[in-house]
Amino acid sequence: MKITLDWLKEHLETSASVDDVVATLNRIGHEVEGVENPADKLKGFRVAKVLTAEKHPQADKLQVLTVDTGDGAAPLTVVCGAPNARAGLIGVLGLPGAVVPANGMELKVAAVRGVESNGMMCSSRELELGDDHDGIIELPENAPVGTSFADYSGAGDPVIDISITPNRQDCMGVRGIARDLAAAGLGTLKPLDVPTIIGEGEPATEIRTDDVEGCPAFYGRTIGGVTNGTAPEWMRRRLEAVGQRSISALVDISNYVMFDLGRPSHIYDRVKLTGPLVARRANVGETVTALNGKDYTLTDTMTVIADEVGVHDIAGIMGGEHSGCSETTSDVLIEVAYFTPERIALTGQALALTSDARSRFERGVDPAFLDDAAAIVTAHVLAICGGTPSAVTRAGAPPAEVKTVDYDPTLSATLGGIAIAPERQREILAALGFTVIEQGSRWQVAVPSWRRDIDGAPDLVEEVTRITGFDAIASVPLPRSDGVAKPTATVEQLLERRMRRSAAAAGFHEAVTWSFISDRDAAPFGGGAWSLANPISEDLKVMRPSLLPGLLAAAQRNQNRGADSIRLFEIGRRYLSDAEHPTLAVLMAGDKRARGWQAGKAAPFDAFDAKAAALALLDAAGAPADRLQVMDAVSEGSIWHPGQSATLRLGPKAVLAEFGALHPLLTRHFDVDGPVMAVQIFLDAIPAKRASGPARAAFTPPALQSVRRDFAFLAPASLTAAELVRAIRGADKASIVDARLFDRFTGQSVPEGQVSLAVEVELQPAEKSFTDAELKAIADKVVAAAVKVGAVLRG
């Protein structure tokens, strides 16, 4: 939120400089994002008077002006094309060296159609003071020629940009900021002038609320005989300084009160209303054209302001285009309402519609300020636009519960870390609007109506400590035991750390993606079991059921930027219906090997690359990679490519990982080109190490050389090589230390429906070398084990 120093001093009696204000705001918890002085961009622009205006000798639409800059020097020659340029006009001259705010152009002495021009007479648009570009600025006749235009226009008022946290709805207006600064000792909060308005008769338009849940209170009054002209210069200057474009007096009044007091209101052109003005639920499919010119389709969960014809206002968010005030408006209806914050937030999210009013209503405006706000808005309208007001109609009632908190002053030391004297705590709370009633050593603190964020004693501790200053909290080292510190990382953390190093060492780049994804991206993975009720965005709504959506989105972004080979991994959580599960996901896309003179064309990744990565990472995690079974993919037919994917299991049910090619429908869903390989390792499924003793015996180099024997088998095509190798390994566990497939062949001499599988078996003698008889016995065991799984030794 932006405020100006001059505007702040309307509410705060202080002589503090802008630097003092900024330092205090940061100290009490209001982060200042920046300070801008509008006068800086008006350097080099001066109030000047046109002495003569003659037709340009070489151009019909240009004039040659002689301009008095007020510095006693000879008048300057300026070429100007504005139709209103004339002798005697007092305007704004941009001198050579000045930079035009609207386009960043630096003014220079230059010849225009053969006539030297020493600057430029400026329009409102060029100085970013308005949209008028039909002519140059015309200042009053008494404007002091030679004065800096920044000083003359009052543009030297610094603008302070403050980041208001979501819980501080009371600081969404200048007065709320002033209250906090006064409590911090930077000045005295001025009393708010609330006028007494005596209305004549009932409003000309009936007002009521039919949705007490969404709009508990709906106040309003009508004013007849107004003249909607231009707002006063002081009001326009303040609004424009905080980024609000001046529109008309009536619209500016509503906006000014919102930024001044944090209280949105709405002013309708009463002639455009038909029948009563009612706060009600929208009908399903009902539409409204908002002030931003866009059409919105509503649902029955949204509160609207409507008359007999239709909807005029998305309640608490944005007014309708059809009932807005114009220059011909003469009768108005002022609406001041209290809307339920939760309803406003949900409606704004559903419509993807933001506004200054929404940012205040969804935080929760002061429910006790409706009458005062109506009086203040009315007073501004009467003072600026004239007219005759009616009495106020009050439909419904705002929440009126007074919240009281039981508080112990010693909590500032024990919970907040600062020992603050009870008297000072009482002063701070009183300055912030709280009422303190002492009951022995404890206090009963009544919470002001504008502090919806205060729920308990810790909130009061925060108030007194932040006003005192968080920098007053002493730096105290944490206690620790003597000697060497004990490890604090858990087994799970150590495993993740080891897996992260292993994946990086294997050439994969770590990605950190959102834990929340959209409904659309969760759908291919079976949808999300958990969704946020109040997401920051619809694209970050569902807690991810898999890490692959984030990696696929990262791959898509990298491909769009020309990446040829993508190797990513991420360690994170999958959020399923039963719990959250730690997982390592790997994704490979593009070229595994770039084209070159040795290998020729570039080679893409394939399912065997995914399998190799899965086995290597499982081995690094301590899983028995040599004993894992390769079985069909768990999610076959959804995210995995049939026939090019599988799972790694420890037994038929314990799935440790799944790997392979992702289904082409999934890659097209995420707009990723080419075949994409992926791995998901379920870290919580990996068996934990034994509690006592090492998981593996210490390595002892064998005394004797190992023996290798090759076997070739004919096996059914349905038999996987892994099953055969696993059976051979188990044929003689005492002697066989390894077995691996080194050839697979189909074709001539191999019967149809069968495949030739060649396996190398490594035998390790223990105390003496194998005899021929022992080798033959082991070979017989190998052949017998192969026969059990359907393979026979080739002749």
Side-chain angles (χ1 to χ4, degrees), residues 635-660:
S635 307
E636 186 172 358
S638 56
I639 68 169
W640 297 106
H641 195 304
Q644 297 185 33
S645 57
T647 58
L648 292 170
R649 307 188 185 207
L650 193 61
K653 294 184 178 180
V655 179
L656 270 59
E658 53 187 11
F659 67 90

Side-chain angles (χ1 to χ4, degrees), residues 677-699:
M677 306 301 140
V679 177
Q680 285 199 114
I681 296 177
F682 311 122
L683 300 180
D684 53 349
I686 298 175
K689 290 184 179 181
R690 292 192 294 267
S692 59
R696 299 176 183 176
F699 175 71

Side-chain angles (χ1 to χ4, degrees), residues 35-49:
V35 179
E36 175 188 349
N37 192 337
D40 293 341
K41 63 182 181 181
L42 294 177
K43 288 181 179 178
F45 294 90
R46 184 180 298 181
V47 177
K49 182 176 182 178

Side-chain angles (χ1 to χ4, degrees), residues 61 89-90 96 195-196 240 251 311 362 427 546 563 727 767:
K61 295 184 178 181
L89 180 145
I90 297 180
T196 301
E240 289 165 358
V251 176
V311 176
E362 69 183 356
E427 289 176 5
S546 168
E767 298 177 354

Side-chain angles (χ1 to χ4, degrees), residues 27 41 43 84 120 151 163 184 227 256 298 303-304 431 461 550 586 609 645 791:
R27 178 172 61 83
K41 63 182 181 181
K43 288 181 179 178
N84 64 330
M120 181 176 74
D151 294 337
S163 176
T227 301
Y256 181 81
L298 310 174
T303 302
V304 297
V461 172
V586 172
D609 295 313
S645 57

Side-chain angles (χ1 to χ4, degrees), residues 385-647:
C385 304
T388 303
S390 72
V392 174
T393 293
R394 299 173 180 83
E401 179 184 0
V402 177
K403 188 184 300 183
T404 302
V405 176
D406 182 64
Y407 180 64
D408 182 354
T410 60
L411 287 174
S412 71
T414 58
L415 186 60
I418 309 176
I420 306 172
E423 294 77 13
R424 177 55 185 155
Q425 293 189 52
R426 191 185 302 106
E427 289 176 5
I428 292 172
L429 292 173
L432 292 173
F434 295 86
T435 302
V436 177
I437 301 175
E438 295 188 34
Q439 295 182 350
S441 61
R442 304 188 70 86
W443 296 352
Q444 295 299 312
V445 181
V447 180
S449 57
W450 58 82
R451 292 304 300 271
R452 183 170 176 262
D453 59 307
I454 303 297
D455 284 326
D459 295 319
L460 298 181
V461 172
E462 180 183 1
E463 291 302 296
V464 296
T465 52
R466 73 176 182 85
I467 294 298
T468 301
F470 290 124
D471 52 353
I473 300 176
S475 297
V476 179
L478 294 173
R480 58 166 292 172
S481 303
D482 295 333
V484 179
K486 296 180 180 179
T488 58
T490 64
V491 174
E492 292 79 9
Q493 290 171 332
L494 292 173
L495 173 61
E496 290 185 11
R497 193 177 298 170
R498 187 165 65 251
M499 296 298 283
R500 185 173 283 109
R501 291 198 197 99
S502 299
F508 295 100
H509 302 281
E510 185 173 13
V512 179
T513 66
W514 292 102
S515 297
F516 306 102
I517 59 178
S518 65
D519 276 318
R520 176 183 178 276
D521 290 347
F525 298 85
W530 306 97
S531 296
L532 297 183
N534 185 24
I536 191 173
S537 165
E538 287 298 311
D539 290 335
L540 298 172
K541 180 179 181 180
V542 180
M543 300 185 76
R544 62 186 178 192
S546 168
L547 274 64
L548 293 179
L551 291 180
L552 283 164
Q556 187 259 346
R557 285 193 296 273
N558 279 274
Q559 283 187 344
N560 289 349
R561 287 156 178 79
D564 296 323
S565 181
I566 299 170
R567 304 166 187 247
L568 302 174
F569 82 93
E570 181 173 12
I571 296 178
R573 301 291 188 269
R574 295 176 300 133
Y575 301 94
L576 307 183
S577 57
D578 59 337
E580 57 183 75
H581 298 271
T583 304
L584 166 63
V586 172
L587 186 137
M588 295 170 276
D591 299 337
K592 172 178 67 175
R593 183 185 67 247
R595 66 178 182 173
W597 63 271
Q598 290 177 306
K601 293 182 179 180
F605 292 101
D606 58 29
F608 293 105
D609 295 313
K611 179 182 179 182
L615 288 172
L617 290 171
L618 284 168
D619 184 63
D626 57 338
R627 292 192 287 114
L628 297 178
Q629 302 176 34
V630 179
M631 302 180 69
D632 290 338
V634 175
S635 307
E636 186 172 358
S638 56
I639 68 169
W640 297 106
H641 195 304
Q644 297 185 33
S645 57
T647 58

